[in-house]
Amino acid sequence: IYEMLRRYLSISIFLFITLILATSTSTFAQTKDELQAQINDRNAKISALEAEIAQTQKDLDATSKDKQTLQSAIKTLDLTRQKVTANITLTQTKMAQKDAEILALAGNITTTSGKIDAQHEAIVSSLRNLDEEGNDSNIAISLFSGENFSSFFGNAAALVEVRSALKEHIAELSSLKSTLITTKTSTEQKREELAKLKTQLATQQGELDANRKEKANLLALTKNKESAYQSILAQKVALKKQFEI
């Protein structure tokens, strides 16, 4: 009986140890498989994050390039607008100058016309005097009053000479007036051209303002987009580091 109990006990101990070893081996194998699965899962997630990081960086670079392009375009627009504004100011100054020239020419034309009218009146007056000097009754009066013929005809010759000089002066004044009128007409035409140029420049300035506003709005959106990509990239990089630990 004792021998049987000893054998039974030995067999029981052997079976127990075998069961423990089998269980431990199975548990170890299961744990190893789970760890490998976790490692593979981490590696897969890291690879996926690296791809996402690369794409996000690519999008960020493109957005930054777009931002620089927009900033450059806005700078160019600002410089162009500055030039147009200077041209508008210059054109307005030239217009004011032409207005002053037109006003001065108009005054000169009026003055010259007045001089011509005065010279005409002087000629008419001299002709009237000649007519009076040449009147038969005046000649008879001169004879009876003792006035000699040489004095009479001397006065008449002087009047004729004065009239001739006045006519020449009128011709000069008329030529001057014609020149002034031509200059005034030309100045008025240049003034009209400047007014048209000012309108064109103002239109161009308005178009530049609208274009700049559009690009400025787009730049603001691009900056926000760039900031979003930077934030996403930082999050993905941080997450990747967590998986690498």
Side-chain angles (χ1 to χ4, degrees), residues 177-194:
K177 180 181 178 181
S178 178
T179 300
L180 290 172
I181 291 174
T182 301
T183 304
K184 180 174 178 288
T185 301
S186 176
T187 304
E188 288 172 343
Q189 290 175 348
K190 291 180 179 178
R191 205 269 184 198
E192 290 178 2
E193 292 174 359
L194 288 171

Side-chain angles (χ1 to χ4, degrees), residues 93-123:
T93 302
K94 287 182 177 180
M95 288 175 64
Q97 182 183 13
K98 294 303 177 185
D99 287 338
E101 290 177 4
I102 291 169
L103 185 62
L105 287 167
N108 288 336
I109 290 171
T110 300
T111 301
T112 303
S113 297
K115 289 181 179 180
I116 292 173
D117 292 340
Q119 297 298 328
H120 273 298
E121 182 61 30
I123 291 174

Side-chain angles (χ1 to χ4, degrees), residues 158-202:
L159 288 172
V160 171
E161 185 178 349
V162 170
R163 185 182 65 177
S164 178
L166 289 173
K167 284 185 176 181
E168 290 180 3
H169 194 203
I170 288 175
E172 292 175 358
L173 290 173
S174 296
S175 177
L176 175 60
K177 180 181 178 181
S178 178
T179 300
L180 290 172
I181 291 174
T182 301
T183 304
K184 180 174 178 288
T185 301
S186 176
T187 304
E188 288 172 343
Q189 290 175 348
K190 291 180 179 178
R191 205 269 184 198
E192 290 178 2
E193 292 174 359
L194 288 171
K196 291 179 181 179
L197 176 59
K198 180 186 175 184
T199 301
Q200 292 174 356
L201 291 171

Side-chain angles (χ1 to χ4, degrees), residues 73-245:
I74 289 174
K75 184 177 180 180
T76 300
L77 287 171
D78 286 340
L79 291 174
T80 303
R81 188 184 186 282
Q82 184 178 355
K83 181 180 178 181
V84 170
T85 301
N87 283 333
I88 290 175
T89 302
L90 177 60
T91 302
Q92 289 175 332
T93 302
K94 287 182 177 180
M95 288 175 64
Q97 182 183 13
K98 294 303 177 185
D99 287 338
E101 290 177 4
I102 291 169
L103 185 62
L105 287 167
N108 288 336
I109 290 171
T110 300
T111 301
T112 303
S113 297
K115 289 181 179 180
I116 292 173
D117 292 340
Q119 297 298 328
H120 273 298
E121 182 61 30
I123 291 174
V124 171
S125 178
S126 67
L127 290 174
R128 187 181 299 110
N129 289 334
L130 282 176
D131 289 339
E132 290 176 354
E133 291 289 342
N135 189 278
D136 292 339
S137 60
N138 288 333
I139 294 175
I141 292 172
S142 297
L143 289 174
F144 285 111
S145 63
E147 184 178 350
N148 57 46
F149 282 103
S150 60
S151 176
F152 170 77
F153 286 109
N155 291 336
L159 288 172
V160 171
E161 185 178 349
V162 170
R163 185 182 65 177
S164 178
L166 289 173
K167 284 185 176 181
E168 290 180 3
H169 194 203
I170 288 175
E172 292 175 358
L173 290 173
S174 296
S175 177
L176 175 60
K177 180 181 178 181
S178 178
T179 300
L180 290 172
I181 291 174
T182 301
T183 304
K184 180 174 178 288
T185 301
S186 176
T187 304
E188 288 172 343
Q189 290 175 348
K190 291 180 179 178
R191 205 269 184 198
E192 290 178 2
E193 292 174 359
L194 288 171
K196 291 179 181 179
L197 176 59
K198 180 186 175 184
T199 301
Q200 292 174 356
L201 291 171
T203 300
Q204 184 180 358
Q205 186 181 50
E207 292 174 352
L208 287 170
D209 289 342
N211 197 357
R212 189 194 187 285
K213 182 178 180 181
E214 179 183 355
K215 281 184 168 50
N217 291 336
L218 186 57
L219 177 60
L221 293 175
T222 303
K223 285 182 177 180
N224 291 337
K225 187 177 179 181
E226 180 187 40
S227 179
Y229 278 134
Q230 289 173 340
S231 178
I232 293 171
L233 182 61
Q235 292 175 5
K236 291 183 182 296
V237 170
L239 185 59
K240 177 176 174 288
K241 288 182 179 179
Q242 291 178 1
F243 282 114
E244 291 175 340
I245 296 175

